[in-house]
Amino acid sequence: MSSIASVKGTVSFSQGPEPKNLIQRERDAATFDLNEMNYFLEGSKERAMETRLFISQFERDPVMAASPKDYDATKAEHRAITIQKIDRLSRYIEVETFDRLERRLSIVSVFDPSFHTRLGVHLGLFLGCIRGNGTADQMQYWLLKKEAAYVKNLYGCFGMTELAHGSNVAGLETTATFNEEDDEFIINTPHLGATKWWIGGAAHSATHCCVYARLIVKGKDYGVKTFVVPLRDADHNLMPGITIGDIGAKMGRDGIDNGWIQFSNVKIPRFFMLQKYCKVSSDGEVTEPPLNQLSYSALLLGRVIMVKDAFRWSARMVTIALRYAVGRTQFKAALAKESDPESQLLNYPLHQRRLIPLLALTYAFSNGANVLQETSTATMDELDDAVSSEDKQALDASVEKMKSLFIASGSLKSTCTWLTLNTIDQCRQACGGHGYSAYSGFGKAFNDFAVQCTWEGDNNILGMSVGKQLIKKFAAVKKGEKATGILDFLGGYEKLAGTNPVLEAKDLKEPKKILFAIEVALVRACIRADQILESKNGDTDFIGAELVTLSKLLAHFFLLKAFLDKIEATKDQPNLVAVLDLLAQLYGATVILEGFSGTFLTFSVTTTEAIAHNSTEHIAELCSKIRPHVIPLTDSFMMSDMMINAPIGYYDGNIYENYMRTVQENNPAKNHKAPYSAALEAMLNRSSLAERQRFEREEEAEEILSN
Amino acid sequence: MSSIASVKGTVSFSQGPEPKNLIQRERDAATFDLNEMNYFLEGSKERAMETRLFISQFERDPVMAASPKDYDATKAEHRAITIQKIDRLSRYIEVETFDRLERRLSIVSVFDPSFHTRLGVHLGLFLGCIRGNGTADQMQYWLLKKEAAYVKNLYGCFGMTELAHGSNVAGLETTATFNEEDDEFIINTPHLGATKWWIGGAAHSATHCCVYARLIVKGKDYGVKTFVVPLRDADHNLMPGITIGDIGAKMGRDGIDNGWIQFSNVKIPRFFMLQKYCKVSSDGEVTEPPLNQLSYSALLLGRVIMVKDAFRWSARMVTIALRYAVGRTQFKAALAKESDPESQLLNYPLHQRRLIPLLALTYAFSNGANVLQETSTATMDELDDAVSSEDKQALDASVEKMKSLFIASGSLKSTCTWLTLNTIDQCRQACGGHGYSAYSGFGKAFNDFAVQCTWEGDNNILGMSVGKQLIKKFAAVKKGEKATGILDFLGGYEKLAGTNPVLEAKDLKEPKKILFAIEVALVRACIRADQILESKNGDTDFIGAELVTLSKLLAHFFLLKAFLDKIEATKDQPNLVAVLDLLAQLYGATVILEGFSGTFLTFSVTTTEAIAHNSTEHIAELCSKIRPHVIPLTDSFMMSDMMINAPIGYYDGNIYENYMRTVQENNPAKNHKAPYSAALEAMLNRSSLAERQRFEREEEAEEILSN
């Protein structure tokens, strides 16, 4: 035993590692104002202060706050706790405006995604469906008169997907047959495949469901419409003809009671049909919607939230991994002297290259999410105004904007959720073994987040749909149509086409040139996709992979543009801009240029020299320039420890003590014999093999038996 | 309600989807013999039949068989069940040879990784450490006399990693101080950071631990050696000075009781030190080992198993995703007629492109794993012989082979585990929403497998280490040293250098040319790494990313070579070869050529035309050619339903009925009120806001209070 024993809280016989000092040293050396950087990320000082207020209310509330105890909760416990949280939050909802509530909820997702989604199914999807598809009176009735908007009296779920139909909403098979005699609809599940499946809230919570079903009137199928169908009565017992089951264990989101629903001749009054766009009269006359596609607008809000999620989740993950990488030491540098201490993980160029680009990406997410949210709110408001004023011209203009928004949000939702899922796992791997501890947060985050790549538009299907719209728009532009909004660069397609490289090694330090290179890549990829399409008789299925690539490039165009615009708007703060410019460069150099090097080279957008210089020099140089700012840059996210919820990533940087404390609190060490220990001990202390074989295989037996 | 009602087992009012017919149709059209293909995958008919025998014994055993119930087990239940399984398997171990046991265990991993690892910690790591570091007598004593080899009397754990030290084994801080007076070692944990951490089996099971600790004799530190330290007595109570805690919740592998251990002046007899290579005499004289690096050979076996795991896990995952993709229909093809049915998922070119390359990769894994296993067994046997015969020349030769094996196994372990983790999540995403159900197997597989990217050599650290050895070898070859084994192509480096493209579009159909292209890429990447290194004063940290790329390329070289060699050896079976050749081409075109397009283009190994042709034509063409063989190719893995353990991927293809049955069995639908329903109902049925505010904010109060 070492001769130097010390007692500082606990006994120690030699000096252990002190990660908190390493982190604090870098925190002290910040070159910019963290509050100002936080305003940049949140969009404005006002939003930033509001976010902090929300966080303080959550973290001070013992019911709603996240804690490491969550990582040891069973599925049954998660579900019960989630209802307590919703109950608590419903008291806020009663006294808050809808806009503010939406922003408050966007914070919830990152520290308790099950809580967020279970409530979101009711507030966002169920009520969103009524808002989107119901008349003003129907909305008034269900949301306000029945008080559903305050999570009161009724709890809704969203009955879209079926066992055999997910993304293809138009192919759903549940039927709503009009019965003129009784002035009612009969809802029915015709076969197992049409069972409503994955319905969040159905298993235990929901009293009502917005059911997507085929409207059948006088034998004619009018396609899929929406109906409010009561599932449970005021005593929470199932209505006649309703069968509901629990969908059971999932990869993540344990707090949500997803269920399946079968309808066996369930009768609802005619006026339970949501009839903003489609009406059925008492004598069976059907008035069809002028704008069919708008009836899925409930999903738009989900996309906006998911892009914001990409920012907050990534911020949380990179904060944990980077604090750990600064506090943890491992091996010595290759050129270290014998007497040098072990090196901080983040001083290794490879480790910088694994994590710092993810930090840059997170910064790019922040403004992309803000811009998408603002555009979305403005466009939805405009559309609502146009619909209620019945102004045809305004309606057309809004619909055009809505289409643009669907393209942008589709490309961003799919691209950002994919990137975030990757970020979560890369951050986990960067924390080595400790990344695998549930208490480091990555495992639950991955499991909870993974569904976002599939939800509300599977990423590949969304990506293909965006790509298709892009090449359609490109074809129209070639025929003289004007390109607007985010796609206005298509107008100059003739100058961007060809095989002329537009990005050389010397241009890499100018993110605007990378932005331009994406425009060029998009145009050339559109042209190429067109050519293939022509050779395949217009079979868009054949260019699925190309379409998804187009969608990803478009998302990066949006993100990089939003990032650069915001940096431009911040130019009066040189201390911020100095670092932000490096981050924009790095985002361009890694996620975009390196990530799409095959595409950029195939279309000669750039040169092999530029790609080689980028990968062997430029990226490493940028990483090493950003390296000293990493702690201030992650501190600027202003994630409190409650939001971080991972002891290896807490603010104070006291990694090992925090981690050990959590492990001990959740698993008291005095329980060192397992509840099943008797079985284990019986195995180890079993009698000899010969004895257990009743000596039947021993020599004596052989002698007797072989006589 | 539809007029066509039918009763076939259950009532159905119209025809639902029948995925099983779609799958059976393709099964009937197989163009090759599935048994022969299975022998190809397993290496030989003998191995294949043995594998089936093992599987039958597991699946017929109600204790050891996996089932969908596993997905609903809590951590506590998992741990208890795992011990029952080990107890059951220990009866096989008593009567089986070690080689056979090893192959039997390699099957366990894919259907119950916790079971595999919890037992593997004892059999593989603890006993492996004694075999690797103990004398023949020590091995005889612990393994046979004490019967540890039969999981009897004692249960071992492997005390290597510490809270503050993982990969850097030489930096571990636990001390083993020799006390000459009592002829014993004193094991001590000097501070929190040196707490043994992540120790599988420690929390509940282990009676003994192979502790990695610094040998201190007469004040001198001899570096890290291994010691057998008893943790619990025969009554399973902790020994004096031993503190053990449960490490708690992890991302996966719930069945393993990982723990932490602190030693406070724990005394063990001198002869508990494992002394094959390093001895301490009773008067404190230390004999140092001639071959220090060999003492970590316990880890080699783990690498071999993990490459085999990559094959089996990938086989399981792609079987589930591909059966689902064949049985599931969704949307209609882009050029479909109105009357056409919905299209099978796998008929979409994008879906083919997402999954079929993973199938090709799995086929490549199979032979790579077999070759690595054979080489490893042969080399270890040779080394053991050389050590026991004390033949210096044979020892040198063995050590040289061992070094090659460390390079190959390091590159394969890191590359294959990364690729498999990706395969698991890609397969999940390809199953859309149903991929997120726990019962589809992907979530648990991802969580359980993820640790393999970190275990027994973090992939990045392993990759860097392989890359370093490669450029070291390259430098030696340039100075005239002979390159042998897998690296023999380095000998011709002068012809491979330069900037001459060696792979053009027309060559893509010849996988041998891709193999050659990898050689060229490796040589040119070595040269480039050398140049950077020179400009950075030999700072290998700076080229970390390049080193990892070298390691990945080397792994693909190994895998593709093994695959092509085996195809060559199968040439008398043209029906097999026809399909295998397509798979080899596709593996080359996607995982290798597309995956490393940046590297291949940067070093001019290939042309942009070839890359463009590959990505827009060649890959799609290969996928469509392999498409009809997908069901027979997955059937050839011969994974029984017990191994698959995912109703959407069972053999009969009855996707929806199997899935619904599992959901209902695990979550009886009659429980439609949650245990916590009262809290939920109280929230919904709460009194009005005004009432709960005691009417303090109503007009009457305002009147009174403002008077």
Side-chain angles (χ1 to χ4, degrees):
Chain A
M1 189 169 293
S2 166
S3 56
I4 310 148
S6 67
V7 177
K8 303 187 289 193
T10 56
V11 176
S12 204
F13 297 94
S14 67
Q15 177 60 53
E18 297 207 291
K20 64 178 185 296
N21 298 347
L22 297 172
I23 290 174
Q24 190 57 44
R25 194 174 67 194
E26 301 190 13
R27 185 168 279 149
D28 293 340
T31 62
F32 54 84
D33 184 301
L34 270 56
N35 276 310
E36 293 293 339
M37 190 60 96
N38 182 245
Y39 306 156
F40 177 93
L41 290 163
E42 295 287 336
S44 69
K45 181 174 178 182
E46 291 64 35
R47 284 277 172 272
M49 297 314 289
E50 188 190 58
T51 300
R52 288 182 216 181
L53 174 67
F54 291 148
I55 294 175
S56 74
Q57 289 181 332
F58 288 125
E59 81 180 13
R60 291 171 182 178
D61 186 305
V63 172
M64 291 192 289
S67 99
K69 289 280 172 204
D70 302 345
Y71 299 120
D72 276 291
T74 63
K75 187 181 76 182
E77 288 165 352
H78 263 301
R79 289 181 171 189
I81 292 165
T82 305
I83 282 299
Q84 289 172 19
K85 293 186 177 194
I86 291 175
D87 186 9
R88 181 78 191 111
L89 190 60
S90 71
R91 317 309 157 116
Y92 286 75
I93 296 173
E94 283 176 318
V95 295
E96 196 153 69
T97 66
F98 188 77
D99 277 4
R100 196 174 148 89
L101 172 64
E102 206 176 288
R103 293 193 301 274
R104 178 190 292 277
L105 287 177
S106 86
I107 312 287
V108 173
S109 171
V110 66
F111 71 86
D112 191 340
S114 286
F115 173 22
H116 181 252
T117 305
R118 191 163 176 180
L119 185 56
V121 162
H122 169 76
L123 290 180
L125 293 177
F126 175 75
L127 299 185
C129 185
I130 295 178
R131 273 166 50 126
N133 300 297
T135 62
D137 285 339
Q138 291 185 319
M139 203 169 103
Q140 176 76 21
Y141 179 82
W142 295 110
L143 272 69
L144 301 179
K145 191 166 163 59
K146 302 298 291 184
E147 300 185 280
Y150 311 120
V151 204
K152 201 158 176 293
N153 296 319
L154 53 87
Y155 202 98
C157 64
F158 186 70
M160 186 187 264
T161 48
E162 298 175 356
L163 179 54
H165 277 95
S167 295
N168 183 10
V169 175
L172 294 172
E173 296 178 273
T174 301
T175 53
T177 310
F178 183 57
N179 177 357
E180 202 178 326
E181 206 170 313
D182 298 324
D183 200 28
E184 66 191 8
F185 291 107
I186 298 171
I187 313 290
N188 202 44
T189 303
H191 54 73
L192 176 67
T195 304
K196 290 291 173 188
W197 203 265
W198 277 114
I199 313 305
H204 295 147
S205 326
T207 60
H208 291 70
C209 181
C210 272
V211 175
Y212 282 70
R214 313 197 75 79
L215 172 64
I216 314 274
V217 181
K218 297 179 181 171
K220 187 177 167 191
D221 181 336
Y222 287 86
V224 174
K225 314 293 170 196
T226 48
F227 305 82
V228 176
V229 181
L231 302 175
R232 289 180 169 91
D233 64 22
D235 299 326
H236 221 66
N237 290 314
L238 293 180
M239 298 283 187
I242 301 283
T243 314
I244 282 183
D246 183 347
I247 218 125
K250 303 183 296 285
M251 184 172 170
R253 307 246 169 176
D254 275 351
I256 311 169
D257 57 325
N258 295 78
W260 54 266
I261 312 175
Q262 288 174 336
F263 303 96
S264 305
N265 247 38
V266 174
K267 298 173 180 185
I268 56 167
R270 182 169 54 88
F271 50 85
F272 277 23
M273 174 176 173
L274 294 172
Q275 53 183 26
K276 187 192 219 162
Y277 299 113
C278 177
K279 286 184 182 37
V280 178
S281 72
S282 59
D283 55 358
E285 204 171 318
V286 180
T287 321
E288 292 249 44
L291 289 165
N292 215 349
Q293 76 276 21
L294 294 180
S295 65
Y296 307 118
S297 66
L299 299 177
L300 180 63
L301 187 62
R303 293 185 187 175
V304 174
I305 291 172
M306 282 194 263
V307 180
K308 192 82 186 181
D309 273 356
F311 165 57
R312 292 217 192 278
W313 287 62
S314 296
R316 178 173 168 235
M317 294 294 121
V318 298
T319 301
I320 298 169
L322 284 167
R323 283 182 182 159
Y324 182 79
V326 168
R328 171 87 167 185
T329 57
Q330 184 172 280
F331 293 109
K332 293 182 183 182
L335 302 183
K337 291 191 296 283
E338 180 78 29
S339 60
D340 285 345
E342 287 191 299
S343 182
Q344 288 167 274
L345 269 189
L346 199 59
N347 288 351
Y348 292 102
L350 178 59
H351 212 78
Q352 293 174 11
R353 199 166 175 149
R354 291 168 69 186
L355 289 178
I356 300 180
L358 303 178
L359 176 65
L361 177 62
T362 307
Y363 267 73
F365 281 159
S366 75
N367 273 286
N370 294 337
V371 171
L372 180 67
Q373 190 164 35
E374 285 154 22
T375 318
S376 164
T377 308
T379 310
M380 301 257 281
D381 287 351
E382 243 176 70
L383 183 67
D384 278 352
D385 290 350
V387 169
S388 54
S389 70
E390 295 184 14
D391 176 342
K392 176 80 176 78
Q393 205 173 354
L395 194 63
D396 284 351
S398 294
V399 167
E400 202 54 39
K401 281 194 190 166
M402 202 67 179
K403 280 183 187 166
S404 281
L405 192 57
F406 256 83
I407 295 182
S409 65
S411 74
L412 286 167
K413 182 272 179 185
S414 51
T415 306
C416 297
T417 53
W418 267 331
L419 289 167
T420 302
L421 191 66
N422 177 60
T423 294
I424 297 169
D425 198 58
Q426 293 306 317
C427 288
R428 171 188 72 78
Q429 289 195 40
C431 293
H434 298 324
Y436 199 68
S437 169
Y439 311 119
S440 298
F442 302 113
K444 185 169 186 303
F446 190 90
N447 289 333
D448 284 345
F449 193 86
V451 72
Q452 302 216 11
C453 296
T454 306
W455 254 358
E456 306 191 17
D458 170 86
N459 281 356
N460 275 291
I461 292 175
L462 255 185
M464 278 206 292
S465 138
V466 167
K468 267 184 221 171
Q469 292 166 73
L470 191 62
I471 55 170
K472 214 164 125 185
K473 186 76 193 173
F474 181 62
V477 168
K478 281 198 296 186
K479 283 184 186 148
E481 196 177 286
K482 200 171 163 341
T484 54
I486 186 173
L487 298 180
D488 69 356
F489 66 90
L490 285 182
Y493 75 95
E494 280 167 320
K495 282 181 207 147
L496 309 183
T499 57
N500 179 34
V502 299
L503 189 79
E504 300 187 24
K506 67 176 170 45
D507 302 326
L508 296 176
K509 293 186 179 173
E510 295 177 63
K512 273 188 186 147
K513 295 209 169 157
I514 294 180
L515 192 66
F516 179 64
I518 305 178
E519 292 180 358
V520 174
L522 277 166
V523 165
R524 293 180 188 176
C526 277
I527 293 172
R528 178 82 183 121
D530 255 0
Q531 288 166 346
I532 307 175
L533 211 51
E534 210 162 306
S535 74
K536 300 286 171 187
N537 301 318
D539 183 353
T540 47
D541 289 341
F542 197 83
I543 53 166
E546 284 79 7
L547 294 174
V548 173
T549 300
L550 279 171
S551 164
K552 287 178 179 171
L553 282 171
L554 186 67
H556 288 299
F557 179 71
F558 187 102
L559 290 173
L560 184 56
K561 190 169 183 307
F563 196 12
L564 296 181
D565 286 351
K566 184 77 180 174
I567 293 177
E568 178 67 28
T570 313
K571 65 181 173 203
D572 58 336
Q573 300 198 64
N575 289 352
L576 294 196
V577 171
V579 187
L580 289 167
D581 179 62
L582 293 172
L583 290 168
Q585 281 187 52
L586 185 64
Y587 163 53
T590 52
V591 185
I592 300 175
L593 210 53
E594 204 174 35
F596 294 86
S597 62
T599 305
F600 277 73
L601 288 172
T602 299
F603 297 121
S604 299
V605 178
T606 184
T607 60
T608 52
E609 292 70 32
I611 293 290
H613 175 70
N614 189 50
S615 81
T616 54
E617 309 255 345
H618 185 55
I619 293 174
E621 201 179 303
L622 284 172
C623 284
S624 75
K625 281 184 185 164
I626 298 170
R627 166 68 188 89
H629 305 290
V630 152
I631 289 296
L633 283 169
T634 48
D635 283 353
S636 297
F637 294 128
M638 306 248 164
M639 291 252 160
S640 71
D641 285 352
M642 185 282 285
M643 305 270 281
I644 292 287
N645 200 21
I648 67 165
Y650 288 159
Y651 181 81
D652 68 7
N654 201 0
I655 296 172
Y656 302 115
E657 289 183 21
N658 292 338
Y659 184 17
M660 179 55 128
R661 194 177 54 247
T662 293
V663 164
Q664 293 216 21
E665 279 172 4
N666 283 25
N667 311 276
K670 60 183 177 179
N671 308 331
H672 55 77
K673 263 203 182 187
Y676 56 83
S677 199
L680 170 62
E681 293 168 46
M683 169 182 70
L684 294 179
N685 300 325
R686 66 189 186 271
S687 56
S688 75
L689 178 62
E691 198 174 336
R692 283 179 286 123
Q693 287 174 339
R694 299 180 196 81
F695 306 104
E696 291 159 0
R697 289 165 187 258
E698 302 303 292
E699 267 179 42
E700 193 194 337
E702 187 181 345
E703 256 173 53
I704 299 170
L705 295 171
S706 54
N707 271 342
Chain B
M1 189 169 293
S2 165
S3 55
I4 311 150
S6 67
V7 177
K8 303 187 290 193
T10 57
V11 176
S12 203
F13 298 94
S14 67
Q15 177 60 53
E18 297 206 291
K20 65 177 182 299
N21 297 347
L22 297 172
I23 291 174
Q24 189 57 44
R25 195 174 65 195
E26 301 191 12
R27 186 167 281 148
D28 293 339
T31 62
F32 54 85
D33 184 300
L34 269 57
N35 276 309
E36 292 294 338
M37 189 60 97
N38 182 244
Y39 305 156
F40 178 93
L41 290 163
E42 295 287 336
S44 68
K45 181 175 176 182
E46 291 63 37
R47 283 277 171 273
M49 298 313 291
E50 188 190 59
T51 300
R52 288 181 216 180
L53 174 68
F54 290 150
I55 294 176
S56 75
Q57 289 182 330
F58 287 126
E59 80 180 13
R60 292 172 181 177
D61 187 306
V63 171
M64 292 193 289
S67 100
K69 289 279 171 203
D70 301 345
Y71 299 120
D72 275 289
T74 63
K75 187 180 75 182
E77 288 164 350
H78 263 301
R79 289 182 172 189
I81 291 166
T82 305
I83 282 300
Q84 289 171 19
K85 293 186 177 194
I86 291 174
D87 186 7
R88 182 77 192 110
L89 190 60
S90 70
R91 315 308 156 119
Y92 286 76
I93 296 173
E94 284 176 318
V95 294
E96 197 154 69
T97 67
F98 188 75
D99 276 4
R100 197 174 148 89
L101 172 65
E102 206 176 286
R103 292 193 301 274
R104 177 190 292 279
L105 287 177
S106 88
I107 312 287
V108 173
S109 171
V110 65
F111 71 84
D112 192 339
S114 286
F115 173 23
H116 181 252
T117 306
R118 191 162 177 182
L119 185 56
V121 162
H122 170 75
L123 290 180
L125 294 177
F126 174 75
L127 298 185
C129 184
I130 294 177
R131 274 166 50 125
N133 300 297
T135 61
D137 286 339
Q138 290 186 319
M139 203 169 104
Q140 176 77 20
Y141 179 81
W142 294 110
L143 271 68
L144 302 180
K145 191 169 164 57
K146 301 299 290 184
E147 300 185 280
Y150 312 121
V151 204
K152 200 156 177 294
N153 295 320
L154 53 86
Y155 203 98
C157 64
F158 186 70
M160 187 187 264
T161 49
E162 297 175 355
L163 180 54
H165 277 95
S167 295
N168 184 8
V169 175
L172 295 173
E173 297 177 273
T174 301
T175 52
T177 310
F178 183 57
N179 177 357
E180 202 177 327
E181 204 168 317
D182 297 323
D183 199 28
E184 65 191 7
F185 292 107
I186 298 171
I187 312 291
N188 201 44
T189 302
H191 53 74
L192 176 67
T195 304
K196 289 291 173 188
W197 203 265
W198 277 114
I199 313 306
H204 294 147
S205 327
T207 60
H208 291 69
C209 181
C210 270
V211 174
Y212 283 70
R214 313 199 74 79
L215 172 66
I216 315 276
V217 181
K218 297 179 181 170
K220 185 176 168 192
D221 182 336
Y222 289 86
V224 174
K225 313 292 170 197
T226 47
F227 305 82
V228 175
V229 182
L231 303 175
R232 289 180 169 92
D233 63 21
D235 300 327
H236 222 67
N237 290 314
L238 293 179
M239 297 283 188
I242 301 284
T243 314
I244 283 183
D246 183 347
I247 219 124
K250 304 185 294 286
M251 184 173 172
R253 308 246 169 175
D254 275 351
I256 311 168
D257 57 324
N258 295 79
W260 54 266
I261 313 173
Q262 288 174 337
F263 303 95
S264 306
N265 247 39
V266 174
K267 297 172 180 182
I268 55 167
R270 181 170 55 88
F271 49 85
F272 278 21
M273 175 175 174
L274 293 173
Q275 53 183 28
K276 188 191 218 160
Y277 299 114
C278 177
K279 289 186 184 31
V280 178
S281 72
S282 59
D283 55 357
E285 203 171 316
V286 180
T287 321
E288 291 249 44
L291 288 165
N292 216 349
Q293 76 273 24
L294 294 181
S295 67
Y296 306 119
S297 67
L299 298 177
L300 180 63
L301 187 61
R303 293 184 188 176
V304 174
I305 292 172
M306 282 195 264
V307 179
K308 192 81 185 179
D309 274 356
F311 165 57
R312 291 216 192 279
W313 288 61
S314 296
R316 178 173 168 234
M317 294 294 121
V318 298
T319 301
I320 299 169
L322 285 167
R323 284 182 181 160
Y324 181 79
V326 168
R328 171 86 167 184
T329 58
Q330 185 171 278
F331 293 109
K332 292 181 182 182
L335 302 182
K337 291 192 295 285
E338 181 76 30
S339 60
D340 285 346
E342 287 191 298
S343 183
Q344 287 168 273
L345 268 188
L346 198 59
N347 289 351
Y348 292 104
L350 178 60
H351 213 78
Q352 292 174 11
R353 198 165 175 149
R354 290 167 71 186
L355 289 178
I356 299 181
L358 303 178
L359 175 66
L361 176 63
T362 306
Y363 267 72
F365 282 160
S366 74
N367 272 287
N370 293 338
V371 171
L372 180 67
Q373 192 165 34
E374 285 154 22
T375 318
S376 163
T377 308
T379 311
M380 301 256 283
D381 287 351
E382 245 177 69
L383 182 66
D384 278 353
D385 290 349
V387 169
S388 54
S389 70
E390 294 185 14
D391 174 344
K392 176 82 176 76
Q393 204 173 354
L395 194 63
D396 285 350
S398 295
V399 167
E400 201 54 38
K401 280 194 191 166
M402 202 68 179
K403 279 184 186 166
S404 279
L405 193 58
F406 256 82
I407 296 183
S409 64
S411 74
L412 285 168
K413 183 272 180 184
S414 51
T415 306
C416 297
T417 54
W418 267 330
L419 289 168
T420 302
L421 191 66
N422 177 60
T423 294
I424 297 169
D425 198 57
Q426 293 306 316
C427 287
R428 172 188 72 76
Q429 289 196 40
C431 295
H434 298 324
Y436 198 66
S437 169
Y439 310 119
S440 298
F442 301 113
K444 184 168 185 304
F446 190 90
N447 289 331
D448 284 345
F449 194 85
V451 72
Q452 302 214 12
C453 296
T454 306
W455 255 357
E456 305 189 20
D458 170 87
N459 281 357
N460 275 290
I461 292 174
L462 256 186
M464 280 204 293
S465 138
V466 167
K468 265 185 222 170
Q469 291 166 75
L470 190 62
I471 56 171
K472 215 164 124 186
K473 187 76 193 173
F474 181 61
V477 168
K478 282 199 296 187
K479 282 181 188 148
E481 193 176 289
K482 197 171 161 353
T484 53
I486 187 171
L487 298 180
D488 70 357
F489 66 90
L490 285 180
Y493 74 94
E494 280 168 321
K495 283 181 207 149
L496 309 184
T499 57
N500 179 33
V502 298
L503 190 78
E504 300 188 23
K506 67 176 170 49
D507 302 326
L508 296 175
K509 293 185 179 174
E510 296 177 63
K512 270 185 189 151
K513 296 209 170 156
I514 295 180
L515 192 67
F516 178 65
I518 305 177
E519 292 181 357
V520 174
L522 278 166
V523 165
R524 294 182 189 175
C526 276
I527 294 172
R528 178 80 184 123
D530 254 0
Q531 288 167 347
I532 308 175
L533 212 51
E534 210 163 304
S535 74
K536 301 285 171 188
N537 302 317
D539 182 353
T540 47
D541 289 343
F542 197 83
I543 53 165
E546 283 79 7
L547 294 174
V548 173
T549 300
L550 279 171
S551 163
K552 287 179 180 171
L553 281 172
L554 187 66
H556 288 299
F557 180 71
F558 186 101
L559 290 173
L560 184 56
K561 189 166 183 311
F563 196 11
L564 297 181
D565 286 350
K566 184 75 179 173
I567 293 177
E568 179 67 26
T570 314
K571 67 180 170 203
D572 57 337
Q573 301 198 63
N575 289 350
L576 294 196
V577 170
V579 187
L580 288 167
D581 178 63
L582 293 173
L583 290 168
Q585 281 187 51
L586 186 64
Y587 164 54
T590 53
V591 184
I592 299 174
L593 210 53
E594 204 174 37
F596 294 86
S597 61
T599 304
F600 277 73
L601 288 171
T602 299
F603 296 122
S604 299
V605 178
T606 184
T607 61
T608 54
E609 291 70 31
I611 293 290
H613 176 71
N614 189 50
S615 81
T616 55
E617 310 254 346
H618 185 56
I619 293 174
E621 202 178 301
L622 284 172
C623 285
S624 75
K625 281 183 186 163
I626 298 171
R627 166 69 187 89
H629 305 290
V630 152
I631 289 296
L633 283 170
T634 48
D635 283 352
S636 297
F637 295 129
M638 307 249 165
M639 291 250 160
S640 72
D641 286 352
M642 184 283 282
M643 304 270 281
I644 293 288
N645 200 18
I648 67 166
Y650 286 160
Y651 181 80
D652 69 7
N654 201 2
I655 297 173
Y656 302 116
E657 290 183 21
N658 291 340
Y659 184 16
M660 177 55 126
R661 192 177 57 245
T662 292
V663 164
Q664 292 215 22
E665 279 172 5
N666 283 26
N667 311 275
K670 60 183 178 178
N671 308 333
H672 55 76
K673 264 200 178 188
Y676 55 83
S677 198
L680 170 64
E681 293 169 45
M683 168 181 71
L684 294 178
N685 301 325
R686 68 190 185 269
S687 56
S688 74
L689 178 61
E691 199 174 335
R692 280 177 289 124
Q693 286 173 341
R694 302 179 194 79
F695 307 103
E696 290 160 1
R697 289 164 187 257
E698 302 302 293
E699 268 180 40
E700 193 192 336
E702 186 179 343
E703 258 174 49
I704 298 170
L705 295 171
S706 54
N707 270 344

